[in-house]
Amino acid sequence: MMDLLGPKPRDGDKPTMRWFPVYAGLRDAIVSHRLAPGTKLPEDELASIYSVSRAVIRAALQALSHDRLARLEPNRGAFVAQPTKQEAREVFEARALIEPKVAALAAELAKPAEIAQLRLHLEKEHEALHAGRDSDAIMLSAKFHVGIAEIAGHSILTGFVKDLLSRSSLIIALYWRRRDTTCESQAHHALVDAIEKHDAKDASDLMRSHLVDLLSGLDLTLGEKKPESLSDILR
């Protein structure tokens, strides 16, 4: 199952190894909601916090922008992404159109080894939820959905799923009001069971109801948050 949220550093790639820890630290702070939506990300301050050059910071910010976790504004700088309520609803409406079809295709094509890989993934997801590692749980939930898309074997639909999940992972991190909105483990287990039985209709129906429940668990309002310094948050 491939990594969804963010690039992996390559062995021997020193520039990548320099910006990747910055990217990973900021990504985790955003997804875990330690960095609030709309927070400015000044290059000079981040360079001081991480003890790297501004060029390294710019590379990390570009990667965050590619993942839709940050936005880059000319002459203003970088900011943590701030999805609107309308965007949140539209993202989940699009997922509800695409992912039930993807789940049905996966149920038709799944091999025993792929089912075993999904179940191993669920164990990691379960561990993260019970350990209170919310950032990890959100990313693992997203990767689970990507894993189903990859089993479906449809490259265009898989691309759509990946793009939507990059957006919805941030939306979940920002707007959740129930911890199980990270993707309730029971719903994921039921999906794997349906896919293992090659029951395309059941897999499609379960995915649709799961996404509706996921959206219902979000509080699409932005509450006030006491500002903190980047240094206090990231160090």
Side-chain angles (χ1 to χ4, degrees), residues 148-179:
I148 291 175
E150 290 176 336
I151 292 171
H154 193 298
S155 62
I156 301 301
L157 290 179
T158 299
F160 288 147
V161 169
K162 289 178 181 178
D163 181 60
L164 290 168
L165 283 164
S166 288
R167 300 187 189 202
S168 61
S169 292
L170 178 58
I171 289 166
I172 291 169
L174 297 182
Y175 293 113
W176 66 3
R177 66 167 180 256
R178 303 195 325 250
R179 289 193 73 252

CSV table of all heavy atoms in Angstrom, one decimal, residues 148-179:
chain,number,residue,atom,x,y,z
A,148,ILE,N,-7.8,0.5,-0.9
A,148,ILE,CA,-9.0,0.0,-1.6
A,148,ILE,C,-9.0,0.4,-3.1
A,148,ILE,O,-9.3,-0.4,-4.0
A,148,ILE,CB,-10.3,0.4,-0.9
A,148,ILE,CG1,-10.4,-0.3,0.5
A,148,ILE,CG2,-11.5,0.0,-1.8
A,148,ILE,CD1,-11.6,0.1,1.3
A,149,ALA,N,-8.7,1.7,-3.3
A,149,ALA,CA,-8.7,2.2,-4.7
A,149,ALA,C,-7.6,1.5,-5.5
A,149,ALA,O,-7.8,1.2,-6.7
A,149,ALA,CB,-8.4,3.7,-4.7
A,150,GLU,N,-6.5,1.2,-4.9
A,150,GLU,CA,-5.4,0.5,-5.7
A,150,GLU,C,-5.8,-0.9,-6.0
A,150,GLU,O,-5.5,-1.4,-7.1
A,150,GLU,CB,-4.1,0.5,-4.9
A,150,GLU,CG,-3.5,1.9,-4.8
A,150,GLU,CD,-2.3,2.0,-3.9
A,150,GLU,OE1,-2.1,1.1,-3.0
A,150,GLU,OE2,-1.5,2.9,-4.1
A,151,ILE,N,-6.5,-1.6,-5.1
A,151,ILE,CA,-7.0,-2.9,-5.4
A,151,ILE,C,-8.0,-2.9,-6.6
A,151,ILE,O,-8.1,-3.8,-7.4
A,151,ILE,CB,-7.7,-3.5,-4.2
A,151,ILE,CG1,-6.7,-3.8,-3.1
A,151,ILE,CG2,-8.4,-4.8,-4.5
A,151,ILE,CD1,-7.3,-4.2,-1.8
A,152,ALA,N,-8.8,-1.8,-6.7
A,152,ALA,CA,-9.8,-1.7,-7.8
A,152,ALA,C,-9.1,-1.6,-9.1
A,152,ALA,O,-9.8,-1.9,-10.2
A,152,ALA,CB,-10.6,-0.4,-7.6
A,153,GLY,N,-7.9,-1.2,-9.2
A,153,GLY,CA,-7.1,-1.3,-10.4
A,153,GLY,C,-7.5,-0.3,-11.5
A,153,GLY,O,-7.4,-0.6,-12.7
A,154,HIS,N,-8.1,0.9,-11.1
A,154,HIS,CA,-8.5,1.9,-12.0
A,154,HIS,C,-7.7,3.1,-11.8
A,154,HIS,O,-7.9,3.9,-10.8
A,154,HIS,CB,-10.0,2.1,-11.9
A,154,HIS,CG,-10.6,2.9,-13.0
A,154,HIS,ND1,-10.3,4.2,-13.3
A,154,HIS,CD2,-11.6,2.6,-13.8
A,154,HIS,CE1,-11.0,4.7,-14.3
A,154,HIS,NE2,-11.8,3.7,-14.6
A,155,SER,N,-6.7,3.4,-12.6
A,155,SER,CA,-5.7,4.5,-12.3
A,155,SER,C,-6.4,5.9,-12.2
A,155,SER,O,-6.0,6.7,-11.4
A,155,SER,CB,-4.6,4.5,-13.4
A,155,SER,OG,-5.2,4.8,-14.7
A,156,ILE,N,-7.4,6.1,-13.1
A,156,ILE,CA,-8.0,7.5,-13.1
A,156,ILE,C,-8.8,7.7,-11.8
A,156,ILE,O,-8.7,8.7,-11.1
A,156,ILE,CB,-8.9,7.7,-14.3
A,156,ILE,CG1,-8.1,7.5,-15.6
A,156,ILE,CG2,-9.6,9.0,-14.2
A,156,ILE,CD1,-7.0,8.5,-15.8
A,157,LEU,N,-9.6,6.7,-11.4
A,157,LEU,CA,-10.4,6.8,-10.2
A,157,LEU,C,-9.4,6.8,-8.9
A,157,LEU,O,-9.7,7.6,-8.0
A,157,LEU,CB,-11.3,5.6,-10.0
A,157,LEU,CG,-12.5,5.6,-11.0
A,157,LEU,CD1,-13.4,4.4,-10.8
A,157,LEU,CD2,-13.4,6.9,-10.8
A,158,THR,N,-8.3,6.1,-9.0
A,158,THR,CA,-7.4,6.1,-7.9
A,158,THR,C,-6.8,7.5,-7.7
A,158,THR,O,-6.6,8.0,-6.6
A,158,THR,CB,-6.3,5.1,-8.1
A,158,THR,OG1,-6.8,3.8,-8.1
A,158,THR,CG2,-5.2,5.1,-7.0
A,159,GLY,N,-6.5,8.1,-8.8
A,159,GLY,CA,-6.0,9.5,-8.8
A,159,GLY,C,-7.0,10.5,-8.2
A,159,GLY,O,-6.6,11.3,-7.4
A,160,PHE,N,-8.2,10.3,-8.5
A,160,PHE,CA,-9.3,11.2,-7.9
A,160,PHE,C,-9.3,10.9,-6.4
A,160,PHE,O,-9.5,11.9,-5.6
A,160,PHE,CB,-10.6,10.9,-8.5
A,160,PHE,CG,-10.8,11.4,-9.9
A,160,PHE,CD1,-11.6,10.7,-10.9
A,160,PHE,CD2,-10.2,12.6,-10.3
A,160,PHE,CE1,-11.8,11.2,-12.1
A,160,PHE,CE2,-10.4,13.1,-11.6
A,160,PHE,CZ,-11.1,12.4,-12.5
A,161,VAL,N,-9.3,9.7,-6.0
A,161,VAL,CA,-9.4,9.3,-4.6
A,161,VAL,C,-8.2,9.9,-3.8
A,161,VAL,O,-8.4,10.5,-2.7
A,161,VAL,CB,-9.4,7.8,-4.4
A,161,VAL,CG1,-9.3,7.4,-2.9
A,161,VAL,CG2,-10.8,7.2,-4.9
A,162,LYS,N,-7.0,9.8,-4.3
A,162,LYS,CA,-5.9,10.4,-3.7
A,162,LYS,C,-6.0,11.9,-3.5
A,162,LYS,O,-5.7,12.5,-2.4
A,162,LYS,CB,-4.6,10.1,-4.4
A,162,LYS,CG,-4.2,8.6,-4.4
A,162,LYS,CD,-2.9,8.4,-5.2
A,162,LYS,CE,-2.5,7.0,-5.2
A,162,LYS,NZ,-1.3,6.7,-6.0
A,163,ASP,N,-6.4,12.6,-4.5
A,163,ASP,CA,-6.6,14.1,-4.4
A,163,ASP,C,-7.6,14.4,-3.4
A,163,ASP,O,-7.4,15.3,-2.6
A,163,ASP,CB,-7.0,14.6,-5.8
A,163,ASP,CG,-7.1,16.1,-5.8
A,163,ASP,OD1,-6.1,16.8,-5.4
A,163,ASP,OD2,-8.2,16.6,-6.1
A,164,LEU,N,-8.8,13.7,-3.4
A,164,LEU,CA,-9.9,14.0,-2.5
A,164,LEU,C,-9.4,13.7,-1.0
A,164,LEU,O,-9.8,14.4,-0.1
A,164,LEU,CB,-11.1,13.2,-2.8
A,164,LEU,CG,-11.8,13.7,-4.1
A,164,LEU,CD1,-12.9,12.7,-4.6
A,164,LEU,CD2,-12.5,15.1,-3.9
A,165,LEU,N,-8.6,12.7,-0.9
A,165,LEU,CA,-8.2,12.3,0.5
A,165,LEU,C,-7.2,13.3,1.1
A,165,LEU,O,-7.2,13.5,2.3
A,165,LEU,CB,-7.7,10.9,0.5
A,165,LEU,CG,-8.8,9.8,0.5
A,165,LEU,CD1,-8.2,8.5,0.1
A,165,LEU,CD2,-9.5,9.7,1.8
A,166,SER,N,-6.4,13.9,0.2
A,166,SER,CA,-5.5,14.9,0.7
A,166,SER,C,-6.3,16.1,1.3
A,166,SER,O,-5.9,16.7,2.3
A,166,SER,CB,-4.6,15.4,-0.4
A,166,SER,OG,-3.6,14.4,-0.8
A,167,ARG,N,-7.4,16.4,0.6
A,167,ARG,CA,-8.2,17.5,1.1
A,167,ARG,C,-9.0,17.1,2.3
A,167,ARG,O,-9.1,17.8,3.3
A,167,ARG,CB,-9.2,17.9,0.0
A,167,ARG,CG,-8.5,18.4,-1.3
A,167,ARG,CD,-9.6,19.0,-2.2
A,167,ARG,NE,-9.0,19.2,-3.5
A,167,ARG,CZ,-9.6,20.1,-4.4
A,167,ARG,NH1,-10.7,20.7,-4.0
A,167,ARG,NH2,-9.0,20.3,-5.5
A,168,SER,N,-9.6,15.9,2.3
A,168,SER,CA,-10.5,15.5,3.4
A,168,SER,C,-9.8,15.2,4.7
A,168,SER,O,-10.3,15.4,5.8
A,168,SER,CB,-11.4,14.3,3.0
A,168,SER,OG,-10.7,13.2,2.7
A,169,SER,N,-8.5,14.7,4.6
A,169,SER,CA,-7.7,14.5,5.8
A,169,SER,C,-7.5,15.8,6.6
A,169,SER,O,-7.7,15.8,7.8
A,169,SER,CB,-6.4,13.9,5.5
A,169,SER,OG,-6.5,12.6,4.9
A,170,LEU,N,-7.3,16.9,5.9
A,170,LEU,CA,-7.2,18.2,6.6
A,170,LEU,C,-8.5,18.6,7.1
A,170,LEU,O,-8.6,19.1,8.3
A,170,LEU,CB,-6.6,19.2,5.7
A,170,LEU,CG,-6.5,20.6,6.2
A,170,LEU,CD1,-5.6,20.6,7.5
A,170,LEU,CD2,-5.9,21.6,5.2
A,171,ILE,N,-9.6,18.4,6.4
A,171,ILE,CA,-10.9,18.8,6.8
A,171,ILE,C,-11.3,18.0,8.1
A,171,ILE,O,-11.8,18.6,9.0
A,171,ILE,CB,-11.9,18.5,5.7
A,171,ILE,CG1,-11.7,19.5,4.5
A,171,ILE,CG2,-13.4,18.6,6.2
A,171,ILE,CD1,-12.4,19.1,3.2
A,172,ILE,N,-11.0,16.7,8.1
A,172,ILE,CA,-11.3,15.9,9.3
A,172,ILE,C,-10.5,16.5,10.5
A,172,ILE,O,-11.0,16.6,11.6
A,172,ILE,CB,-11.0,14.5,9.1
A,172,ILE,CG1,-12.0,13.9,8.1
A,172,ILE,CG2,-11.0,13.7,10.4
A,172,ILE,CD1,-11.6,12.5,7.6
A,173,ALA,N,-9.2,16.7,10.3
A,173,ALA,CA,-8.4,17.2,11.4
A,173,ALA,C,-8.9,18.6,11.9
A,173,ALA,O,-8.8,18.8,13.1
A,173,ALA,CB,-6.9,17.4,10.9
A,174,LEU,N,-9.4,19.4,11.0
A,174,LEU,CA,-9.8,20.7,11.5
A,174,LEU,C,-11.2,20.7,12.1
A,174,LEU,O,-11.5,21.5,13.0
A,174,LEU,CB,-9.8,21.7,10.3
A,174,LEU,CG,-8.5,22.0,9.6
A,174,LEU,CD1,-8.7,23.0,8.5
A,174,LEU,CD2,-7.5,22.4,10.6
A,175,TYR,N,-12.1,19.9,11.6
A,175,TYR,CA,-13.5,20.0,11.9
A,175,TYR,C,-14.1,18.9,12.7
A,175,TYR,O,-15.3,18.9,13.0
A,175,TYR,CB,-14.3,20.2,10.6
A,175,TYR,CG,-14.1,21.4,9.8
A,175,TYR,CD1,-13.5,21.4,8.6
A,175,TYR,CD2,-14.4,22.7,10.3
A,175,TYR,CE1,-13.2,22.5,7.9
A,175,TYR,CE2,-14.2,23.8,9.6
A,175,TYR,CZ,-13.6,23.8,8.4
A,175,TYR,OH,-13.4,24.9,7.6
A,176,TRP,N,-13.3,17.9,13.1
A,176,TRP,CA,-14.0,16.7,13.8
A,176,TRP,C,-14.5,17.1,15.1
A,176,TRP,O,-14.0,18.0,15.8
A,176,TRP,CB,-13.0,15.6,13.9
A,176,TRP,CG,-11.8,15.7,14.8
A,176,TRP,CD1,-11.4,16.8,15.5
A,176,TRP,CD2,-10.8,14.7,14.9
A,176,TRP,NE1,-10.2,16.5,16.1
A,176,TRP,CE2,-9.8,15.3,15.8
A,176,TRP,CE3,-10.6,13.4,14.4
A,176,TRP,CZ2,-8.7,14.6,16.2
A,176,TRP,CZ3,-9.5,12.7,14.8
A,176,TRP,CH2,-8.5,13.3,15.7
A,177,ARG,N,-15.6,16.5,15.5
A,177,ARG,CA,-16.2,16.7,16.8
A,177,ARG,C,-16.3,15.3,17.5
A,177,ARG,O,-16.6,15.3,18.7
A,177,ARG,CB,-17.6,17.4,16.8
A,177,ARG,CG,-18.7,16.6,16.1
A,177,ARG,CD,-20.1,17.2,16.4
A,177,ARG,NE,-21.1,16.4,15.8
A,177,ARG,CZ,-21.8,16.8,14.7
A,177,ARG,NH1,-21.4,18.0,14.1
A,177,ARG,NH2,-22.7,16.1,14.2
A,178,ARG,N,-16.1,14.2,16.8
A,178,ARG,CA,-16.0,12.9,17.4
A,178,ARG,C,-14.7,12.3,17.0
A,178,ARG,O,-14.3,12.3,15.8
A,178,ARG,CB,-17.2,12.0,16.8
A,178,ARG,CG,-18.5,12.5,17.0
A,178,ARG,CD,-19.6,11.4,16.8
A,178,ARG,NE,-19.2,10.5,15.7
A,178,ARG,CZ,-19.8,10.4,14.5
A,178,ARG,NH1,-20.8,11.2,14.2
A,178,ARG,NH2,-19.5,9.5,13.7
A,179,ARG,N,-14.0,11.6,17.9
A,179,ARG,CA,-12.8,11.0,17.6
A,179,ARG,C,-12.9,9.9,16.5
A,179,ARG,O,-12.0,9.6,15.7
A,179,ARG,CB,-12.1,10.4,18.8
A,179,ARG,CG,-11.6,11.4,19.8
A,179,ARG,CD,-10.6,10.8,20.8
A,179,ARG,NE,-9.4,10.4,20.2
A,179,ARG,CZ,-9.0,9.1,20.0
A,179,ARG,NH1,-9.8,8.1,20.3
A,179,ARG,NH2,-7.8,8.9,19.5
